[in-house]
Amino acid sequence: MNIKALEASTLYGILLPVLLLVLVMAVNVGPVDIDLGKAIQDWLDDQTTIESLILFDIRLPRSLLAMLIGATLGLAGASLQGLLRNPLAEPGIIGISNGAALGAVIVFYYGIAGIAWFLLPLGGLIGALVAMIIIFLLVGQNRSIITLILAGIAINAIGGAFIALALNFAESPYAMQEIVFWLLGSVSNRSVNELYIAMPFMLVGWGMMLYCGRFLNALTLGEETAKSMGFNVARMRLVLILGVTASVGAAVSVAGNIGFIGLVVPHLIRPFVAYEPRRLLLSSAITGAILLLTADIVVQILSDNGEMKLGVITALVGAPFFLFLILKSRNVLQ
Amino acid sequence: MSLLSGHGIDYRIDSIQILEAIDIRVDAGELIGLIGPNGAGKSSLLRLLTGVEACTQGEVRFDDQPLGQISAGLRAQRMGYLVQGAMAYWPFRVDKVIELGRIPYQKWWQQVSSDDQEIVEEAMTKTETLAYRNRIVTTLSGGEQTLVMLARIFATQPDLIFADEPVAALDPYHQLHVMEILRSHAAAKRAAIVVLHDLSLAARFCDRLYLLNHGRLHCSGSVSEVLTRENIAEVYGVDSQIVCNEKGVSVTSLSRISDHHP
Amino acid sequence: MLMKPYCLCFTALLLVSATLFAGEKPQRIVSIGLCTDQLLLMLAEREQIASLSVWAKDENMSYMIDAVGEIPLNNSSVEEIILYQPDLVVASQFAAWDTAKFLRQLGYEVKQIPTARSIEDIYALLRQFGEWTGNQKRAEAMIRTMQQELREISERYAERPTKTVIVYSPNGFTIGANTLENDLFAHAGYVNLAAEMGIEGFKPIALESLIAADPDVLQVDRTLSRADSLATAYMGHPALEKMIEHREYLDIPTRLRICAGPMITEAIENMARRR
């Protein structure tokens, strides 16, 4: 099937309005029926009413958070796939997300988070970075898809085990049940506080990843050629990795490990940007935001008191997609 | 003054001596050939000359400036490097691949401009790749891909082109085509330095040759000075026949020399 | 001469009736749960208690914490319990059912108190506990005191208006109809909006629904709030903070309302007073 690439103006002309539409739908869904017009009016009049409270303190922060996290995951997926030149690379599959969750769990449950606001997302960053370093050590020079996936399986298993361990020994009596949140992810009951904590790291991370766009394009021709085009390959690689770990670390630290967005999104968009890694970055960010927001809408429709975790929906869609990808590239794997 | 020169180049990796005491020079208008048996260090030398790797000892100068003092960005604009087996990882369209050649001139937020696109057109004309500008590069034949990669380099408008075995897997038609393109690039007051295995091609197209063996310079000079039966026997270990006439030069390997140690 | 056989008979009768009487009252009672801890400390004689659960010393949960003293504590594990050689083990019905089953299999006497869903249930529970531990009189006295206190509370605050209330606890749970808390609210002059919305038992409620219900009073136990748990992070949500800003919230200590017993009258008094 030949999908024709789109001009930037057409592509964003479609994606941005869809994002806006989905955002409006997202703040419209919830267990209580409220009049959005009244809510906005009350807010403008500086009145705290039921409607304004629900819209601006509960639904909007939640939806914005879902949007930013979806964008982060989409962007990180596109970045990793560009860097590793491997279409199956994604923060969840290669174990970065679990690493971030481990870092966040240690900070949150052992009394470190309260010391300063940035320690929680920083814990996520460090956890993600450690996972990334281990991946590079395991994979070495080997570019094959299988090696990367195997390394990812190992990191995910180890990360999951340590998360369970950390929760087991935590003082809080609720810790163990909360493992579901960390491993599956959720934005329910997250407020502006979480938005404020995660945003700085996410924005910086985005900047770093977008900065590497040209580099990823040059990398299409190989590392040597990229070097000859004037890039300090080692330095650019470091900038990209820091960008990925900072943004994913922050996202996971406030919403847990939401999987598969970084895998599915670049795949969907790639044909529309003619496979250009640089163009893939921003468009994956926007599409990731759209997808995660949609998933959150589905979650809210299916369970009206936030029982279902967001990661369940993304897994239900993403896992079969992953399977399909593996089957499609079976020849390559031989 | 030479465009590019290297003095006393030494290159060592993990205490293995790859290159020793190499002196080399490329002047404007020249097409230089780097020849020698497998493992002689030709590709390594090329990498050192482009600045992608650094010498352990010795110095490379470009336009009479030490290579290390020229910024990577400037080097990227003045030099074009065609790596061995150059290929695109993602299935880009041909004109998009060639556009990558403009990267050394773009800031990280900039898009391809109309000036850039004109230069890309020129590059495609030079390499006769206009016909498949809309094809996906990974669907092209080996020869066509090499032409596209060359076009990418031309889009950068470099002074000096480095090519590592550009014609190794190509059919005779494309072999001649690529060498002609490099020849005409050099002729226009620029230069090119090419690693080659095919001695006939080297003889026919290069102005001067450097013959490497075991990381050392065996000899250098004009084609007739370097490509002698004795040199070829000593370095390659084959008995050869060299025929020169007005149609061209051809070097034919006849038989292996029995007590040669490669 | 005739006195000797009479004395002998009489002493024998005394001894027999003493042992019979002593045999009725368990002497080494082990409690393996918070609520049976409370009941033991309130209804039983100190010598009867062999061990209480570790929860008896929990500052937030144990009403009778000051009465514990030197009584040994157990972690509700079967090995520890057996060491005390109990003649009676008491527990809540839901709390330690597999421990209870195991102990019964080993031949120990295990009695479990049911979950009280109303104040009437509490009276029945107290009576039953009195019977098991041989302290029926004390139990009856306690019941009478409770009934008296409840009457007094009702009269004292009769003039004040009824208020609507919702409970919000860790993980977003609320308390609905058919629960003890619900009955407490009724006795304290409150209408539990969760019950009005049709919620039964302990169920989660969406924060939005909570806000939309717009109760006069919100009951949140701040003592349970901790920085290192997502469950209690619910209670720190800005929307909830704003809601609390605009209305009162009821902070009834957990130890007053978590177990069935006479302390609930104190809880009811607290609630009624705040109306």
Side-chain angles (χ1 to χ4, degrees), chain A residues 2 4 10 17 31 73 77 132 141 153 192 216 236 251-252 268 325:
Chain A
N2 242 332
K4 198 162 172 303
T10 322
L73 294 174
M132 191 89 220
Q141 292 299 324
I153 292 178
V192 267
L216 290 180
M236 292 305 283
V252 172
L268 292 178
L325 278 182

Side-chain angles (χ1 to χ4, degrees), chain A residues 104-116 119 170-171, chain C residues 226-228:
Chain A
V105 161
I106 292 176
V107 166
F108 187 71
Y109 289 95
Y110 290 87
I112 307 174
I115 301 175
L119 287 175
E171 252 185 70
Chain C
R226 30 190 321 155
D228 63 347

Side-chain angles (χ1 to χ4, degrees), chain A:
Chain A
M1 186 179 69
N2 242 332
I3 299 183
K4 198 162 172 303
L6 297 174
E7 286 286 328
S9 50
T10 322
L11 185 62
Y12 294 118
I14 298 178
L15 287 179
L16 288 172
V18 169
L19 180 61
L20 201 57
L21 181 66
V22 176
L23 183 60
V24 168
M25 279 170 62
V27 296
N28 229 320
V29 83
V32 175
D33 268 321
I34 58 168
D35 182 351
L36 284 190
K38 180 173 186 300
I40 298 175
Q41 190 59 48
D42 291 333
W43 183 70
L44 288 173
D45 294 335
D46 214 17
Q47 295 258 47
T48 311
T49 61
I50 293 177
E51 285 85 358
S52 74
L53 212 54
I54 290 181
L55 179 59
F56 288 97
D57 284 89
I58 299 185
R59 292 188 186 173
L60 198 58
R62 173 190 182 136
S63 297
L64 286 178
L65 195 62
M67 229 173 73
L68 293 181
I69 292 179
T72 297
L73 294 174
L75 185 53
S79 300
L80 284 175
Q81 288 174 25
L83 178 69
L84 299 173
R85 276 164 288 162
N86 192 322
L88 289 179
E90 189 261 328
I93 291 178
I94 68 175
I96 292 184
S97 299
N98 256 8
L102 179 58
V105 161
I106 292 176
V107 166
F108 187 71
Y109 289 95
Y110 290 87
I112 307 174
I115 301 175
W117 70 267
F118 57 82
L119 287 175
L120 186 62
L122 187 62
L125 189 164
I126 295 177
L129 198 55
V130 169
M132 191 89 220
I133 292 174
I134 300 180
I135 285 277
F136 272 113
L137 289 177
L138 283 177
V139 165
Q141 292 299 324
N142 197 328
R143 290 251 159 262
S144 92
I145 293 179
I146 287 204
T147 312
L148 194 64
I149 295 186
L150 287 177
I153 292 178
I155 306 276
N156 267 315
I158 297 175
F162 275 108
I163 290 174
L165 195 67
L167 289 172
N168 223 309
F169 284 115
E171 252 185 70
S172 161
Y174 305 100
M176 213 44 220
Q177 344 160 302
E178 288 168 7
I179 196 173
V180 182
F181 167 83
W182 293 105
L183 294 183
L184 280 181
S186 163
V187 286
S188 108
N189 278 315
R190 307 269 79 186
S191 66
V192 267
N193 295 333
E194 278 74 45
L195 205 56
Y196 289 156
I197 292 177
M199 232 165 55
F201 280 76
M202 284 202 273
L203 291 178
V204 168
W206 292 0
M208 290 169 100
M209 288 187 274
L210 291 172
Y211 171 71
C212 294
R214 245 180 9 143
F215 167 62
L216 290 180
N217 272 0
L219 214 53
T220 307
L221 300 177
E223 273 186 30
E224 292 253 298
T225 311
K227 259 194 232 181
S228 76
M229 287 197 193
F231 291 102
N232 181 338
V233 171
R235 192 166 68 94
M236 292 305 283
R237 197 187 291 144
L238 187 64
V239 169
L240 190 82
I241 290 176
L242 280 179
V244 168
T245 52
S247 55
V248 171
V252 172
S253 73
V254 297
N257 178 355
I258 301 173
F260 295 107
I261 298 280
L263 179 71
V264 173
V265 168
H267 270 279
L268 292 178
I269 298 296
R270 207 172 266 126
F272 294 104
V273 294
Y275 288 81
E276 209 186 302
R278 181 198 196 188
R279 284 190 69 196
L280 195 59
L281 294 180
L282 192 56
S283 44
S284 293
I286 300 178
T287 313
I290 294 175
L291 268 178
L292 199 62
L293 255 182
T294 310
D296 197 35
I297 293 176
V298 172
V299 157
Q300 291 191 75
I301 293 177
L302 289 183
S303 72
D304 57 22
N305 44 33
E307 287 294 275
M308 184 180 282
K309 298 284 176 248
L310 200 49
V312 171
I313 301 292
T314 60
L316 280 175
V317 171
F321 191 88
F322 184 25
L323 206 62
F324 159 70
L325 278 182
I326 293 183
L327 289 174
K328 202 172 77 162
S329 56
R330 241 194 322 207
N331 319 321
V332 183
L333 290 178
Q334 304 297 33

Side-chain angles (χ1 to χ4, degrees), chain C residues 34-107:
Chain C
L34 175 70
C35 295
T36 41
D37 293 340
Q38 312 298 311
L39 292 172
L40 268 186
L41 287 168
M42 289 188 286
L43 284 181
E45 284 165 48
R46 217 172 165 78
E47 305 84 64
Q48 287 178 283
I49 307 177
S51 170
L52 299 169
S53 84
V54 290
W55 292 101
K57 278 282 198 183
D58 186 307
E59 277 167 14
N60 287 325
M61 307 274 209
S62 178
Y63 181 69
M64 296 293 289
I65 188 173
D66 294 323
V68 174
E70 296 301 313
I71 299 181
L73 303 176
N74 69 73
N75 273 302
S76 315
S77 74
V78 176
E79 296 166 2
E80 285 175 283
I81 297 166
I82 294 179
L83 283 178
Y84 292 108
Q85 296 281 359
D87 47 14
L88 176 63
V89 177
V90 286
S92 304
Q93 201 161 54
F94 287 111
W97 61 270
D98 46 352
T99 315
K101 199 166 124 190
F102 201 167
L103 287 167
R104 282 199 187 98
Q105 280 177 338
L106 293 173

